[in-house]
Amino acid sequence: MSSKNTNSNIDYSLIFIVLLLAIVSCFTLYTLGNYLPEKYSNTNFMLQQIKWYIVGSMAIVVIMFIDYDRLRQVVWILYGIGIILLTMLFFHFPPGIAKEVNGAWGWFNIPGLGTMQPAEFMKIFLIIALAQILVSHEERFKNRTNKSDIWLLAKIMIISLPPMGLIAVQPDLGSFLVLAFITFCMILVSGIRWRVILTLVGFSIIMVGTVVLLYVYNPEVVDNFTEDFGFEHVESRFQGWLDPYEYGKSGGYQLIRAMMSIGSGQLFGKGIQGFEVPNIPERHTDMIFTAIAEQFGFIGASFVITLLFLLIYRLIHIALRSNDQFGSFLVSGMIGMFTFQIFQNIGMSVQLLPITGLPLPFVSYGGSSILTYLIAIGIVLNINYRTKEYMFD
Amino acid sequence: MGKKKKKRTQLPFRLNILFLIVFALFSILILQLGVVQILNGEEAQEEIDKTVNTSSKISVPRGKMYDRFGRIILDNEPLRAITYTPPKGGDTADDRLDIAKKLAEFIVIGENTDESNELNEMVKERDKKEYWYLLNKSEVRDRLTPEQLELSNSEQYQEMLEEITTEDLAELDWSDSLLNIIAIKKELDKAYELSPHVIKGEDVTEEEYAKVSEHLYDLPGIDASIDWKRKVVYGSTFRSYIGGITSSNEGIPSENRDFYLTRGYSRNDRVGESGLEQQYESILRGRKEVVQYTTDKSGNIVGSEPVVDGQRGSDLILTIDMELQQAVDQIVQEELQTAVEKHPYQNRYLEDALVAMMNPKTGEVLALSGVRHNKETNEYEDHSFRVIYDAHRPGSAIKGASVLAGLDSGVIYPGEPIYDTCVKIAGTQPKCSWMNLGSINDINALKRSSNVYMFHIAMRMGGGVYRHNDKLRGFDDDGFRLMRNYFSQFGLGVETGIDLPYEGTGFKGDIEFNAAGKLMDFNIGQFDTFTTLQLAQYASTIANDGYRVRPHLLKEVRQPVADKNELGPIAQSVNTEVLNKIEMDDGYIDRVQEGFRRVMQENQGTAVNYFGEAPYNSYKPAGKTGTAENEIYQDGRLVAHVENLSLVGYAPYDDPEIAFAIVVPNNGIIEGGGQHPINHMIGRKILDKYFELKAERAKNGVNLELKQEAVQDKDAETEQE
């Protein structure tokens, strides 16, 4: 087993892309400085973000020293921790530490450390757990049959549905959709045969279609259902998305402001700090893309999207390059996570998707998310680092 | 490393599919971004640049009030004012503090002197905390716990203010000049966007006004302008009917906020809250000037254009004759004083004397006068509102209504003689006239004020059959309802309809027990109570051949004109409104009128001694006197028996032009007579005055220069504080 020079196994282009995104993030937060609501006037978000990047980078370094294969040994512990944390949030436990923001019970407020959002970490834990399931299934069933495929599908569902459910009831629509997309990507790469996958996709389309038709023809039923199950906010988000001007006061407000801000950036943008649309909520976190698009226009916004695309491209490259199934599955999960987050975050500010509370990876301000994504990058780098290229492959 | 087994060929393929999906998703993003930014970008920019038009309403002075001859009663006095108009969206607290600091160099809003602590009282602890907060924002914020930081902005602000301790406040030197700044800022805080708010009105000195005017360029939103305040020309005369307005600090009454807001009022508008100011608010308020401001996206005003020209409120011409009003006030006060001073002990409960005078044909009210003797200060105060508020038992004065009811219901026939001797019903005290009057008919029953005649009408009205010293048989309580219904046709016991926000209608006694006895009392004015104005309307109705007209204080509405000394053209004039016509034979009314005439003109008439001689007989007065027994209770204990003296009437009886009612409650009873005949004396003198003025005006025209008592409107004074 000979390998190439180990140095070349560190994917510098990936690091470079992340570094560029970090610069974009910190610079944008810097420009936003005085334009945020007064209640944030005492926080320097740029410095905080730099701090989190440094913490995350140290995490990457630590991760690099440990063979990612070890994850297979601790996967169920991590998964268990994630589920326990989410369950605690479900019971609003422990009181005073479990915290509600905008109606969603999704945070722990740890005295001295700040806030922590278990749903973020759960994304990584779920990816590892699913990768583990896929690999061990692969090892047991050498030959694919319908039966084994369905069994695998069942196992995937058993693993992914509990965290999805717990996050859905927080309620956190965005993270729920991220987990769903991760699961979908993992199923896609799992090797389950097309007929099974297509059946699954078809079934999902029918389900979603039914709800949409119900909403169009009999909105009351949907109203009652969402009210009974505490998902009014989901409905109002959808209404705000479909008709922002009609629902301008509630669900549509954020969208109208965001579209105005992004749109007015036009092709070249208004230049640094050329903000003209005040009162965009969460502009330093979930709505940070509006700040980039307004200042630097279509060109700047496309540049950021391109950077993010290159990031995904590097991940695909690493997944393809890895000759270890566990590694490939892990990276596939990461791809699903990043892709959906990026698509959802940018998509919601240009009216492609309803508004949800999801950060833009590496750009939005937020300790939990930066840490999570840098850990994810760490794992990916680790996988790449330990990929042995066979001379005569 | 056993894990390095060959991947299946499927995985790269599936990964490529995944990449395809990713590529598709990112393409959609870029595409949509292009649509939003390049295709619709200009639209979005226009949306942002769109200037916002907001309109602002600028208050205009209220209409004035004049008496029937055009003598001004209620005027507007212009006064210098420093105002503040916040921009669209308002200034921030820091901006306001800045303005306050600059403004404080020029104006002083309150002063602490040796006698007063005006400034200290103006600036509350909370205001000091707000100021301290502005200086130490970040420090205060740091004191909040993470939980508090999650609160809404306004809750957070509250919490922060609570975090500020007295030690913190002690850091600063609260000098008078600093307090002045804070007091000014406090005023600035009260203003609503785009609506001018008076920062200092009442006593802006010429110097202050000039200094602020010079520095307007440096004081955004501040203006040195002219405000107005109400000025009552005749002091307390008729003051309670003119009414008052709210101050701009009080603004529109909160209980009717929506009513006013939907009619275009701002929250700090002054509105009438009592009397005619309230009654005719819609006429007096005028039309506000509406200015449309064009603001750019950051709220700066880039242009203004008047949309609606303002017009000050229309003026009211009242029916009141101010000269007569002043004279009547004077007469009432003098007579009351005479009565009180003549028998100070017996008259210890005598406080009020009330007079209402109106034109019986048109309902125009000429004078409403009420004087109260303040027992503690021994002063005579204007309580003219009591004419429409306070109700008293009038005594025999209402017998005209009793007789008409008897005639119309048919229980007595015209000219029916009844033998006047005490009515005695088994088991009750006998009820008598003031003396046995012998056989007497309806007209003379009025002339000599027979109670017994009225008792019989009462008993018959209920269908009762009277036998001396026997039980009254067959009396139906429904008689009471019938009787009250007759009375209400004269305005007794119902609203007179006067154009004021409130009037009393008197108290209706409970008839549960011994209704027959109570109806007998009712018929001689000893049961239900009535206001003086109700009695005046009753006298008018008899004078006016049974037509009950609505008394009114408003004569005309005049359009506002610029010239201060001229009245504008008539916008509206108030016509005589007949509320009802007594539905009965005119012959019956003639009999009552004749009875009233005899009271004052014929021998044995109860008031002939006062009105039968010259010059009073030349006025041809007719009327009815009344004396009602009354009791004074203190803490539920009967302390004194007193008499209400009343007189209603009109003149001249062949073509009435004036009707009046006089009520003087709670006169002491003087053993052996000798009580000052206050009701008659007032009656004589007001008739005297009325006809004297009439003759004088016929000769020399109306005297428009009355003695004025320019006492500043109390409300107007406070409103500028």
Side-chain angles (χ1 to χ4, degrees), chain B residues 474-636:
Chain B
F475 184 84
D476 183 354
D477 291 2
D478 202 40
F480 228 116
R481 192 187 54 76
L482 280 172
M483 207 65 187
R484 278 189 175 145
N485 185 42
Y486 275 113
F487 271 50
S488 68
Q489 293 188 39
F490 296 91
L492 294 169
V494 294
E495 288 183 354
T496 63
I498 193 170
D499 45 350
L500 284 169
Y502 174 81
E503 62 168 310
T505 55
F507 176 74
K508 288 187 172 60
D510 177 15
I511 59 164
E512 279 289 298
F513 176 71
N514 185 18
K518 286 175 178 169
L519 185 55
M520 285 191 250
D521 289 344
F522 178 87
N523 264 9
I524 59 167
Q526 288 275 18
F527 193 63
D528 284 359
T529 64
F530 305 110
T531 66
T532 312
L533 186 68
Q534 282 176 334
L535 292 169
Q537 191 178 38
Y538 148 76
S540 296
T541 309
I542 288 173
N544 201 23
D545 299 330
Y547 291 92
R548 180 165 79 103
V549 295
R550 187 174 71 84
H552 56 96
L553 291 166
L554 180 64
K555 192 164 182 282
E556 286 162 8
V557 177
R558 296 293 187 111
Q559 285 170 23
V561 282
D563 189 345
K564 207 175 170 334
N565 300 317
E566 218 174 272
L567 283 171
I570 295 178
Q572 176 196 338
S573 61
V574 178
N575 297 321
T576 303
E577 187 186 339
V578 176
L579 295 170
N580 58 273
K581 159 99 170 71
I582 312 249
E583 297 161 7
M584 55 182 72
D585 196 322
D586 285 349
Y588 299 159
I589 296 228
D590 292 344
R591 298 188 72 80
V592 173
Q593 287 173 343
E594 174 60 15
F596 273 28
R597 190 190 65 79
R598 290 187 190 177
V599 167
M600 294 194 167
Q601 304 299 329
E602 277 195 0
N603 269 341
Q604 293 189 314
T606 51
V608 71
N609 292 342
Y610 300 101
F611 296 94
E613 59 195 57
Y616 308 106
N617 55 6
S618 68
Y619 307 145
K620 300 185 184 173
K624 183 74 195 77
T625 59
T627 306
E629 292 165 13
N630 203 10
E631 298 87 35
I632 300 288
Y633 289 91
Q634 275 173 2
D635 307 324

Side-chain angles (χ1 to χ4, degrees), chain B residues 435-483:
Chain B
M435 62 174 281
N436 277 359
L437 298 169
S439 182
I440 197 167
N441 70 2
D442 47 356
I443 295 178
N444 287 329
L446 289 171
K447 168 178 153 185
R448 306 194 62 192
S449 203
S450 162
N451 287 348
V452 173
Y453 206 92
M454 308 303 144
F455 295 155
H456 282 280
I457 292 173
M459 289 184 290
R460 293 179 190 179
M461 191 66 94
V465 178
Y466 170 72
R467 262 198 215 105
H468 185 74
N469 211 9
D470 194 357
K471 279 190 177 156
L472 184 65
R473 294 178 199 281
F475 184 84
D476 183 354
D477 291 2
D478 202 40
F480 228 116
R481 192 187 54 76
L482 280 172
M483 207 65 187

Side-chain angles (χ1 to χ4, degrees), chain B residues 282-349:
Chain B
S282 59
I283 295 173
L284 292 168
R285 64 181 287 213
R287 189 176 60 217
K288 286 183 169 185
E289 182 177 349
V290 181
V291 178
Q292 185 137 52
Y293 291 105
T294 321
T295 51
D296 63 12
K297 58 193 173 260
S298 30
N300 299 313
I301 295 172
V302 293
S304 68
E305 184 194 1
V307 190
V308 177
D309 284 331
Q311 190 181 49
R312 77 170 177 84
S314 300
D315 298 327
L316 303 185
I317 305 288
L318 303 184
T319 59
I320 290 294
D321 177 346
M322 211 57 197
E323 197 173 4
L324 182 68
Q325 172 78 41
Q326 278 183 331
V328 173
D329 280 349
Q330 179 77 19
I331 292 164
V332 172
Q333 178 181 330
E334 282 167 9
E335 293 303 320
L336 184 61
Q337 194 168 355
T338 308
V340 168
E341 283 169 6
K342 191 172 174 191
H343 297 287
Y345 177 73
Q346 287 91 334
N347 281 336
R348 64 194 181 280
Y349 299 109

Side-chain angles (χ1 to χ4, degrees), chain A residues 83-265:
Chain A
I83 291 289
I84 288 168
L85 290 177
L86 289 174
T87 313
M88 280 161 67
L89 279 179
F90 178 71
F91 291 107
H92 306 169
F93 179 88
I97 290 185
K99 198 177 93 166
E100 184 192 8
V101 174
N102 297 333
W105 286 87
W107 283 261
F108 285 116
N109 192 358
I110 301 156
L113 281 175
T115 55
M116 181 195 104
Q117 195 181 4
E120 292 291 337
F121 299 107
M122 194 65 223
K123 292 170 189 168
I124 303 273
F125 297 160
L126 181 68
I127 291 169
I128 301 170
L130 287 178
Q132 166 68 10
I133 291 280
L134 294 186
V135 172
S136 58
H137 184 85
E138 201 89 341
E139 283 164 358
R140 291 219 350 244
F141 299 88
K142 301 290 181 199
N143 297 316
R144 295 197 170 277
T145 60
N146 273 350
K147 209 175 154 190
S148 78
D149 272 1
I150 288 168
W151 174 227
L152 176 59
L153 202 56
K155 283 194 283 188
I156 291 174
M157 288 304 172
I158 291 167
I159 296 301
S160 53
L161 284 181
M164 280 164 69
L166 285 167
I167 286 173
V169 297
Q170 282 184 355
D172 181 351
L173 178 64
S175 298
F176 167 81
L177 291 174
V178 173
L179 292 194
F181 194 76
I182 289 172
T183 310
F184 167 76
C185 289
M186 300 291 269
I187 291 171
L188 184 68
V189 296
S190 68
I192 292 176
R193 280 178 294 177
W194 286 112
R195 61 187 83 156
V196 181
I197 293 178
L198 290 179
T199 313
L200 193 68
V201 170
F203 181 71
S204 310
I205 289 174
I206 290 170
M207 286 289 283
V208 172
T210 313
V211 174
V212 169
L213 285 178
L214 253 181
Y215 184 74
V216 171
Y217 290 106
N218 205 347
E220 276 174 33
V221 176
V222 181
D223 275 352
N224 293 339
F225 177 83
T226 54
E227 262 171 46
D228 291 351
F229 290 86
F231 290 114
E232 299 98 325
H233 81 291
V234 176
E235 201 191 347
S236 85
R237 295 275 178 82
F238 270 89
Q239 288 168 339
W241 169 50
L242 293 170
D243 195 348
Y245 290 93
E246 175 75 9
Y247 297 94
K249 278 274 165 359
S250 51
Y253 176 78
Q254 214 172 350
L255 180 57
I256 291 174
R257 313 294 295 184
M259 296 272 287
M260 211 191 268
S261 162
I262 294 176
S264 63

Side-chain angles (χ1 to χ4, degrees), chain A residues 42 142 188 192 322 350, chain B residues 7-8 14 32 37 141:
Chain A
N42 292 336
K142 301 290 181 199
L188 184 68
I192 292 176
S322 170
V350 291
Chain B
K7 275 187 286 188
R8 294 194 187 174
R14 290 288 173 96
Q32 175 74 0
Q37 293 199 288
R141 177 169 293 280

